[in-house]
Amino acid sequence: MTGPAPAGPAGGGPAALLDELRRVVAAADPVPRSWRRAARVAARWAGGDLPRARLVFEAEPDALGVRAPGRRELRFAAGGRAVAVTVDVDGEVVRLVGQLDPAGAAEVAAHWPEGSATAAAGADGRFHFDDLPRRPLCLVTGGEDRVRTSWFVP
C-alpha cells in the first residue's frame, strides 16, 4: 500500500525537496572548480565538427603477454581512419606511441582539460608524445582524414 508522496520543505512537494537537497549538497560538498572547467572543456569537445573515432580495441598488459604495469594498447576508428596508440604511464607522466592508418604525414594533437601538445606523424604514420600529464586525453589527427578520438584516461 502506498500513500501520498511526502511533502518537501514547507509543503512544496518532491520538486522543492530536490531543490533543497541540491542546495545542501552544494553548500556541504561543492564541485571543485577544476572539475567544472574540465566538464566545460569536455562538453565543448563533444560537439565538435570532426568525425569521432570510437574505441574499437583495448588490451591490458596481461592480454599482451607483457609485464608492464601502466601499459595499454588502444585502437580508435572512424570511417577510413584508425589511430592505434600504446599508452605508457609512469607516475603522473604519460607517453604515447601511435600509428595512423592509413599511414601518412600529418599533425597529431593531444588535448587534455588544461592544455594540448602537438606531434608530427611521419610518412609512415608513426608519432609519439613524451611527458603528457596523467589527465583525460583526446587525440585529433590532421591531414586528409581528420578525426577526433573519444576521450580516454591513461
Side-chain angles (χ1 to χ4, degrees):
M1 184 163 120
T2 61
L17 179 61
L18 286 175
D19 287 341
E20 180 68 9
L21 284 172
R22 281 188 197 98
R23 188 190 66 72
V24 169
V25 169
D29 189 18
V31 175
R33 287 181 194 259
S34 63
W35 289 18
R36 289 179 188 263
R37 187 172 39 252
R40 283 192 295 274
V41 169
R44 207 169 43 239
W45 274 93
D49 60 347
L50 292 177
R52 185 170 308 151
R54 302 213 183 270
L55 182 65
V56 295
F57 175 80
E58 178 175 11
E60 297 293 331
D62 291 339
L64 300 172
V66 177
R67 289 187 180 199
R71 175 177 273 198
R72 290 173 29 218
E73 299 283 333
L74 306 173
R75 184 172 176 86
F76 301 89
R81 169 71 88 187
V83 181
V85 292
T86 299
V87 181
D88 283 309
V89 178
D90 184 11
E92 292 301 310
V93 177
V94 176
R95 182 171 201 264
L96 297 181
V97 177
Q99 172 74 50
L100 300 178
D101 183 17
E107 182 176 272
V108 180
H111 296 273
W112 58 94
E114 300 83 13
S116 64
T118 59
D124 60 359
R126 294 178 188 221
F127 63 92
H128 74 275
F129 290 94
D130 294 316
D131 300 325
L132 293 176
R134 190 170 185 183
R135 304 285 290 136
L137 297 170
C138 170
L139 301 177
V140 177
T141 67
E144 292 180 28
D145 297 318
R146 296 182 62 206
V147 296
R148 179 187 72 242
T149 68
S150 52
W151 288 91
F152 61 97
V153 178

